[in-house]
């Protein structure tokens, strides 16, 4: 038994480390601003402070990504240190490129020492065996602010073990981003609303303007999310609500066939080797007509090239034959390792952060959305009239309803440990890529993906970490 446990641990660490291959950080945010700074049209929220339930002391070490909107980190570090000084805790913050976070996390798990709290930007259920259950944090946040969004709950809760392997106080929508000047000549000035629109318009733009669209099929986070959105739009998924593998379905085959046509008619081979920065850079440079991403590349363009920013617009999730649904572009997973030296301070910090989600949203320039909407009562007002100067001012208004077309990795089931491993090993974008390159038929590509996914589910099920779903 001990040999099997050690083998599983080594396998777990090897697998989760693969997530570092994606070059995740730069992908969703693009380059840092290099031009003038956008001055908001109104004051930032004042924020709030609640005395911790019990006295705190000692140190609190935080490991987190370098935010895709750099202004966030310029605000966050002194803000959290100020909170620490008020409650008697010495807070230190380490920011690293997100591509390095999985490897750093696994190294700390292996060493059984490191930071007290770590932030990831995608669900990390595969870390559950080494993390504290954060049910107490979620329960207290619910008591203070109302019920957590189901989207965030399903991205941080294991219904089999009834544990919160992470805490998800915030998330980020994943709309379509398009250059209006490229789509207007093909009769889609408001952008594509369906996957068929994307194929028809994207193919015509490539033929008439020699500019491709950008839906990646490489080992990085944006490709991972795009592939899932396309599967869901055809009524397909990796698992069902009972956490059973259902990838090998007619809908999945149709989705893979569609992606192959999209590639042949509207893209070029570079989409197979993109890092996560490529789609942002291509859109801003006018080399791509459409990408699936957050708003951060556009925010960067506001400061580096306002003319480009004014030409970038957004669409909700594209509709397919069965659905219109997108994964959350970023799903914050704050985790507290079992080795944490100061878990009480870590949990109080997370509650303080949650109470100030209005400041978080503001300082991220409306990139971060709250899991507790009541804490950010002015969010829809800000989206309707962007305080950071979008042209037109209501460019972000469509995100008011983003929660309706956003879902969790693992949908229609939870973000369980098996889905975490499937995500980290890029099985879904690899499936699409093999068919698009002509290495396999759509049917064979789906069958081969199923052959890789089933053992992953079998392994985690045997360990008692996934089950019948629900909850």
């Amino acid at each position: 038994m001990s040999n099997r446990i050690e083998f599983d641990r080594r396998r777990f660490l090897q697998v989760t480390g693969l997530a570092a291959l994606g070059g995740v950080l730069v992908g969703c945010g693009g380059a840092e601003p290099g031009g003038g700074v956008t001055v908001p049209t109104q004051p930032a929220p004042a924020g709030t402070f609640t005395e911790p339930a019990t006295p705190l002391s000692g140190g609190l070490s935080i490991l987190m990504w370098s935010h895709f909107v750099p202004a966030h980190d310029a605000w966050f570090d002194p803000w959290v240190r100020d909170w620490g000084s008020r409650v008697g805790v010495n807070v230190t913050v380490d920011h690293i490129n997100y591509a390095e976070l999985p490897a750093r996390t696994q190294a700390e798990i292996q060493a059984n020492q490191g930071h007290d709290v770590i932030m990831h930007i995608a669900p990390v259920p595969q870390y559950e065996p080494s993390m504290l259950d954060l049910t107490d944090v979620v329960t207290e946040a619910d008591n203070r602010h109302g019920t957590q969004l189901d989207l965030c709950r399903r991205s941080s809760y294991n219904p089999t073990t009834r544990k919160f392997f992470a805490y998800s106080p915030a998330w980020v929508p994943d709309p379509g981003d398009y250059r209006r000047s490229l789509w207007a000549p093909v009769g889609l000035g408001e952008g594509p609303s369906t996957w068929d629109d994307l194929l028809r318009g994207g193919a015509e733009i490539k033929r008439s303007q020699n500019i491709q669209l950008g839906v990646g099929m490489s080992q990085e986070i944006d490709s991972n999310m795009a592939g899932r959105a396309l599967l869901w739009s055809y009524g397909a998924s990796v698992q069902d609500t009972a956490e059973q593998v259902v990838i090998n379905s007619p809908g999945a085959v149709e989705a893979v066939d569609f992606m192959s046509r999209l590639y042949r008619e509207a893209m070029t081979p570079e989409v197979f080797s993109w890092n996560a920065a490529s789609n942002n850079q291509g859109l801003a440079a006018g080399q791509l007509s459409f990408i699936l991403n957050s708003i951060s590349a556009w925010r960067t363009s506001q400061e580096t090239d306002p003319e480009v920013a004014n030409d970038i617009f957004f669409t909700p999730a594209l509709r397919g034959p069965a659905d219109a649904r997108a994964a959350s572009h970023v799903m914050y997973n704050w985790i507290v390792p079992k080795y944490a030296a100061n878990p009480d301070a870590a949990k109080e910090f997370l509650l303080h952060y949650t109470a100030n989600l209005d400041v978080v949203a503001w300082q991220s320039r409306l990139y971060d959305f709250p899991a507790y909407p009541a804490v950010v009562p002015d969010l829809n007002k800000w989206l309707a009239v962007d305080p950071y100067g979008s042209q037109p001012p209501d460019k972000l208004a469509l995100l008011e309803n983003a929660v309706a077309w956003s879902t969790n990795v693992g949908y229609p089931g939870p973000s369980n440990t098996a889905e975490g491993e499937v995500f980290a090993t890029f099985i879904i974008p690899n499936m699409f890529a093999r068919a698009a390159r002509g290495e396999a038929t759509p049917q064979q590509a789906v069958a081969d993906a199923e052959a890789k996914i089933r053992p992953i589910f079998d392994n985690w099920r045997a360990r008692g970490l996934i089950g019948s779903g629900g909850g």
Side-chain angles (χ1 to χ4, degrees):
M1 176 67 74
S2 60
N3 289 340
R4 173 59 184 274
I5 291 173
E6 181 57 30
F7 170 79
D8 284 343
R9 178 179 174 81
R10 288 198 304 268
R11 181 171 181 269
F12 157 69
L13 292 171
Q14 290 164 357
V15 164
T16 53
L18 291 175
L21 297 175
V24 176
L25 168 68
V26 289
C28 308
E32 291 189 7
V37 176
T38 303
V39 178
T41 58
Q42 55 185 280
T48 187
F49 173 80
T50 300
E51 200 69 43
T54 58
L56 302 176
S57 62
L60 176 67
S61 57
I62 299 173
L63 177 63
M64 62 191 299
W65 69 330
S66 297
H67 200 285
F68 297 155
V69 178
H72 171 279
D73 291 350
W75 157 78
F76 178 86
D77 291 10
W79 173 79
V80 72
R81 285 195 295 266
D82 176 68
W83 170 80
S85 68
R86 296 182 71 175
V87 300
V89 173
N90 179 33
V91 179
T92 59
V93 184
D94 292 316
H95 295 273
I96 63 174
N97 185 308
Y98 185 75
E100 301 170 7
L101 250 180
R104 179 67 174 271
T105 301
Q106 76 172 45
E108 294 191 3
I109 291 172
Q110 209 162 22
N112 201 37
Q113 61 181 356
H115 292 82
D116 294 298
V117 60
I118 304 172
M119 176 215 267
H120 283 259
I121 65 167
V124 286
Q126 62 270 42
Y127 293 139
E128 180 180 341
S130 302
M131 297 299 129
L132 293 181
D133 176 12
L134 296 181
T135 297
D136 53 347
V137 176
V138 178
T139 300
E140 181 60 27
D142 284 354
N143 288 339
R144 296 183 187 185
H145 309 298
T147 303
Q148 182 186 37
L149 286 179
D150 188 59
L151 164 67
C152 296
R153 178 184 176 89
R154 292 171 68 85
S155 299
S156 54
Y157 177 70
N158 185 335
T160 298
T161 60
R162 299 184 180 275
K163 294 179 180 179
F164 282 89
F165 55 82
Y167 177 54
S168 295
W171 67 288
V172 176
D174 196 23
D177 308 30
Y178 72 99
R179 294 291 295 265
R180 176 166 283 181
S181 63
L182 300 177
W183 285 84
V186 299
L188 290 166
E190 298 304 311
S193 60
T194 68
W195 285 96
D196 283 344
D197 283 348
L198 186 68
L199 174 58
R200 176 173 57 85
E204 179 57 31
I205 290 169
K206 187 171 184 288
R207 283 192 297 269
S208 62
Q209 304 178 58
N210 197 32
I211 295 175
Q212 70 160 320
L213 58 84
V215 180
M217 287 175 275
S218 61
Q219 295 193 1
E220 50 86 28
I221 190 172
D222 295 350
S223 298
N224 239 331
M225 298 303 192
R228 282 164 172 77
L230 182 54
L231 284 174
W232 295 328
S233 78
Y234 275 84
S237 58
V238 173
Q239 66 175 357
D240 61 15
T241 56
E243 300 174 272
Q244 303 297 316
V245 176
V246 293
I247 185 67
N248 198 346
S249 67
V253 173
E254 290 176 17
V256 172
D257 181 66
F258 177 88
M259 183 72 93
S260 298
R261 287 187 287 131
L262 192 66
Y263 166 70
R264 290 193 301 269
E265 298 184 33
M267 296 194 283
T268 60
E270 64 197 61
V271 298
F272 301 125
S273 58
W274 272 355
N275 63 38
S278 302
N279 57 0
N280 296 290
Q281 294 166 350
L283 184 76
Q287 297 169 352
L288 297 174
S289 63
F290 177 96
I291 64 174
L292 293 170
N293 216 300
S294 65
I295 69 169
S296 54
W298 163 71
R299 283 296 194 205
T300 295
S301 294
Q302 280 187 293
E303 299 183 347
T304 59
D305 194 334
E307 185 176 349
V308 166
N310 292 344
D311 191 39
I312 295 175
F313 286 79
F314 304 97
T315 71
L318 299 177
R319 178 163 293 282
D323 203 355
R325 198 169 296 276
S328 168
H329 187 72
V330 163
M331 175 55 67
Y332 291 111
N333 263 213
W334 291 89
I335 54 178
V336 179
K338 289 180 179 178
Y339 61 70
N342 201 345
D344 290 341
K347 293 176 180 182
E348 285 290 349
F349 153 70
L350 292 175
L351 291 171
H352 178 65
Y353 177 87
T354 303
N356 287 275
L357 286 171
D358 55 345
V359 188
V360 173
W362 181 271
Q363 296 293 348
S364 70
R365 302 189 179 184
L366 312 188
Y367 181 90
D368 294 346
F369 277 41
Y372 293 93
V375 183
V376 195
D378 291 332
L379 179 60
N380 286 349
K381 184 191 304 182
W382 297 338
L383 295 173
V385 182
D386 177 30
Y388 286 95
S390 70
Q391 295 297 325
D394 65 349
K395 182 173 285 189
L396 299 180
L398 81 161
L399 297 182
E400 291 181 12
N401 299 318
V403 72
W405 44 261
S406 301
T407 195
N408 60 287
V409 170
Y411 175 85
S415 298
N416 59 31
T417 48
E419 284 277 11
E421 183 172 334
V422 172
F423 190 90
T425 49
F426 303 105
I427 292 173
I428 298 305
N430 289 345
M431 173 185 73
F432 284 109
R434 292 187 65 235
R437 286 194 297 254
E439 297 170 359
T441 65
Q443 292 86 351
Q444 189 60 52
V446 172
D448 290 346
E450 179 190 34
K452 293 180 174 66
I453 291 170
R454 283 198 177 278
I456 292 172
F457 272 74
D458 290 344
N459 174 63
W460 289 109
R461 206 181 310 277
R463 299 176 64 185
L465 289 168
I466 63 173
S468 59

